[in-house]
């Protein structure tokens, strides 16, 4: 075993002591995917078994499984599980159903590139092996789905280490949305806080509640609190005050798609946080795997922003409606943070600094 792998294995053990590690797994029957239903958190930690195409589509759409890398991992397993159910079909019919399933899942959410990235990987496996038997194709599909998951684990561990290298004992860090172990394997933007805890460092985290779907309140504060990290929940509109108070040394956020010039789509509100941070002279880092970097997308203007149901703002989390029934409502799920507002992009291959158009390209050229 190489020294690098031995060191990552050590990081993994440290993370396993503080992180949720079973957010997505292949069912023991090899015909289902078992997820933690993220909509029910933090009140109920419940596992949900997904066996059919429509439930897989709805699990992504309704955010039962969410966070860019987690959606990719789930999509890989979903393609395998759905194909496994078609194992008795003739090969042509099997491949036709495979392509239809892929198209449908791909339409569930548009912004996080990891979904189409994982589906493309599964697709390439089916195409490359199409001369083989259905049984052999299935074996390869399972292998690929497991690889997507295992690679994500390694990527997260590296990102946690690189992210932690930016922090020092006593730092206050503001984060937005959820990019912890529920959203990926061991976490990207929030992974370093857990690793810091595992190593006895004292990091104070301020978690934006993240309107309207409250991923910060329901998921981030839940994950960090259960691990014993010093976390303080704030409403999104309090970020400016905590920065002005001098409580924030760095901002760590996740990402759903990074364009070739470094413009970054992340949960709605992230760009506002970055603009505030610039005002107060606080560095902003986005943390995510290279699978979230879309070199085919030149800049943020080319990122498709998902629009969601207005009821998520008006009624979803309340006993009674919180707005007049007919009032117009605009509910974009993500916004784009201009690359000029970012101090660095933390990937599993290292920290990328400006100029991002040059240095992101180098990251891929080095492969
Ligand atoms: O709508 P969501 O909850 O899927 O949005 C998630 C985010 O914006 C995360 O910050 C991003 O996907 C990174 S998760 C490691």
């Amino acid at each position: 075993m190489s020294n690098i792998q031995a060191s990552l294995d050590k990081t993994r053990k440290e993370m396993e002591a503080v992180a949720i590690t079973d957010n997505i797994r292949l069912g023991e029957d090899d015909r289902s995917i078992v997820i933690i239903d993220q909509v029910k958190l933090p009140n109920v930690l419940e596992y949900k078994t997904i066996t059919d195409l429509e439930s897989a589509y709805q699990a992504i759409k309704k955010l039962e499984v969410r966070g860019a890398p987690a959606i990719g991992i789930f999509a890989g397993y979903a393609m395998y599980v759905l194909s496994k159910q078609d194992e008795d079909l003739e090969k042509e019919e099997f491949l036709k159903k495979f392509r239809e399933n892929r198209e449908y899942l791909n339409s569930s959410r548009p912004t996080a590139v990891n979904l189409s990235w994982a589906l493309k990987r599964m697709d390439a496996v089916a195409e490359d092996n199409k001369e083989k038997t259905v049984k052999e194709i299935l074996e390869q599909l399972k292998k690929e789905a497991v690889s997507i998951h295992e690679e994500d684990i390694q990527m997260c561990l590296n990102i946690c280490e690189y992210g932690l290298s930016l922090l020092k004992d006593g730092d206050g860090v503001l984060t937005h949305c959820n990019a912890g172990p529920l959203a990926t394997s061991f976490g990207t933007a929030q992974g370093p806080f857990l690793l810091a805890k595992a190593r006895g460092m004292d990091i104070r985290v301020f978690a934006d509640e993240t309107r309207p779907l409250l991923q910060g309140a329901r998921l981030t504060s839940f994950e960090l609190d259960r691990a014993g990290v010093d976390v303080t929940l704030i409403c999104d509109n309090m970020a400016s005050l905590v920065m002005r108070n001098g409580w924030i040394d760095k901002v760590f956020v996740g990402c759903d798609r990074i364009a070739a010039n470094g413009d970054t789509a992340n949960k709605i509100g992230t760009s506002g946080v970055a603009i505030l941070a610039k005002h107060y002279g606080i560095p902003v880092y986005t943390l995510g795997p290279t699978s979230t970097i879309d070199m085919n997308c030149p800049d943020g203007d080319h990122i498709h922003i998902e629009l969601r149901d207005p009821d998520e703002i008006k009624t979803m989390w309340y006993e009674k409606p919180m707005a007049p029934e007919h009032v117009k409502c605009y509910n974009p799920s993500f916004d784009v943070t201009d690359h000029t507002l970012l101090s660095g992009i933390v990937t599993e291959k290292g920290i990328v600094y400006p100029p991002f158009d040059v240095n992101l390209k180098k990251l891929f050229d080095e492969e």
Side-chain angles (χ1 to χ4, degrees):
M1 192 194 296
S2 73
N3 285 347
I4 297 175
Q5 193 54 51
S7 149
L8 275 189
D9 288 349
K10 183 176 159 283
T11 309
R12 181 171 182 161
K13 287 212 172 62
E14 291 171 305
M15 288 300 285
E16 278 169 352
V18 284
I20 288 172
T21 54
D22 58 353
N23 62 337
I24 304 170
R25 65 178 169 82
L26 190 59
E28 269 145 36
D29 58 2
D30 214 28
R31 287 171 181 268
S32 57
I33 317 139
V34 183
I35 58 168
I36 291 180
D37 184 345
Q38 296 194 40
V39 173
K40 298 219 166 115
L41 286 171
N43 300 313
V44 187
L45 200 163
E46 197 172 280
Y47 294 85
K48 183 165 182 172
T49 302
I50 308 281
T51 53
D52 62 280
L53 178 62
E54 191 53 31
S55 317
Y57 175 93
Q58 292 298 338
I60 301 174
K61 180 113 194 138
K62 291 184 179 161
L63 311 192
E64 290 165 358
V65 58
R66 52 145 298 283
I71 295 171
I73 296 164
F74 177 79
Y77 283 136
M79 286 308 295
Y80 167 66
V81 161
L82 297 170
S83 306
K84 178 89 177 153
Q85 290 165 9
D86 292 336
E87 67 188 333
D88 293 332
L89 294 179
E90 289 300 322
K91 194 162 63 183
E92 280 318 303
E93 191 54 25
F94 171 88
L95 288 170
K96 185 168 165 278
K97 280 277 299 289
F98 178 90
R99 292 178 194 123
E100 285 168 6
N101 291 344
R102 179 203 64 205
E103 282 309 300
Y104 188 53
L105 285 185
N106 201 28
S107 66
S108 54
R109 293 191 80 189
T111 305
V113 71
N114 307 61
L115 174 61
S116 58
W117 170 86
L119 291 173
K120 271 187 206 141
R121 277 184 61 162
M122 297 302 284
D123 196 40
V125 168
E127 288 303 321
D128 291 350
N129 292 283
K130 67 179 177 209
E131 303 310 329
K132 298 190 178 153
T133 63
V134 166
K135 191 165 174 280
E136 287 166 335
I137 298 173
L138 279 168
E139 277 165 17
Q140 294 307 315
L141 287 173
K142 181 173 183 178
K143 232 169 120 186
E144 189 68 0
V146 171
S147 293
I148 290 172
H149 196 173
E150 280 174 357
E151 286 166 28
D152 190 77
I153 291 173
Q154 299 297 314
M155 287 190 292
C156 282
L157 296 173
N158 276 306
I159 289 170
C160 291
E161 289 287 0
Y162 284 120
L164 187 61
S165 74
L166 295 166
L167 299 177
K168 59 176 191 347
D169 214 24
D171 267 353
V173 190
L174 185 123
T175 191
H176 189 80
C177 196
N178 175 261
L182 287 164
T184 175
S185 301
F186 283 108
T188 56
Q190 284 119 35
F193 311 147
L194 294 168
L195 190 56
K197 178 70 197 173
R199 292 191 183 159
M201 275 171 75
D202 173 28
I203 303 292
R204 290 168 293 107
V205 180
F206 288 82
D208 279 349
E209 65 175 346
T210 318
R211 286 278 296 159
L213 281 172
L214 304 174
Q215 287 91 332
R218 294 188 301 106
L219 308 175
T220 300
S221 65
F222 166 75
E223 284 182 323
L224 297 181
D225 182 61
R226 71 181 279 290
V229 176
D230 179 344
V231 56
T232 306
L233 180 64
I234 58 170
C235 299
D236 296 359
N237 54 5
M238 298 168 189
S240 177
L241 183 68
V242 296
M243 288 181 186
R244 186 182 168 88
N245 286 351
W247 297 345
I248 307 298
D249 301 289
K250 276 137 207 163
V251 171
F252 274 21
V253 287
C255 45
D256 286 82
R257 190 180 295 245
I258 300 178
N261 72 341
D263 288 353
T264 297
N266 191 49
K267 177 54 55 194
I268 188 74
T270 304
S271 70
V273 169
I275 291 165
L276 288 174
K278 182 174 183 179
H279 178 78
Y280 290 106
I282 298 166
V284 177
Y285 295 94
T286 187
L287 296 87
T290 47
S291 53
T292 309
I293 302 172
D294 183 359
M295 293 304 280
N296 295 319
C297 177
D299 56 45
D301 290 345
H302 290 79
I303 298 177
H304 181 169
I305 299 292
E306 173 185 10
L307 281 181
R308 294 186 62 88
D309 188 342
D311 280 341
E312 290 180 344
I313 296 178
K314 295 200 281 187
T315 60
M316 189 164 167
W317 304 104
Y318 308 109
E319 273 181 22
K320 290 181 186 162
M322 279 296 139
E325 198 183 338
H326 298 296
V327 76
K328 282 197 288 179
C329 216
Y330 175 52
N331 186 16
S333 194
F334 302 95
D335 61 20
V336 173
T337 300
D338 197 88
H339 63 277
T340 56
L341 298 169
L342 296 176
S343 299
I345 298 175
V346 182
T347 77
E348 77 279 10
K349 293 182 180 174
I351 305 172
V352 182
Y353 292 99
F356 294 118
D357 52 350
V358 176
N359 292 336
L360 285 176
K361 189 167 177 303
K362 269 194 203 153
L363 202 65
F364 287 92
D365 289 348
E366 279 160 12
E367 272 178 0

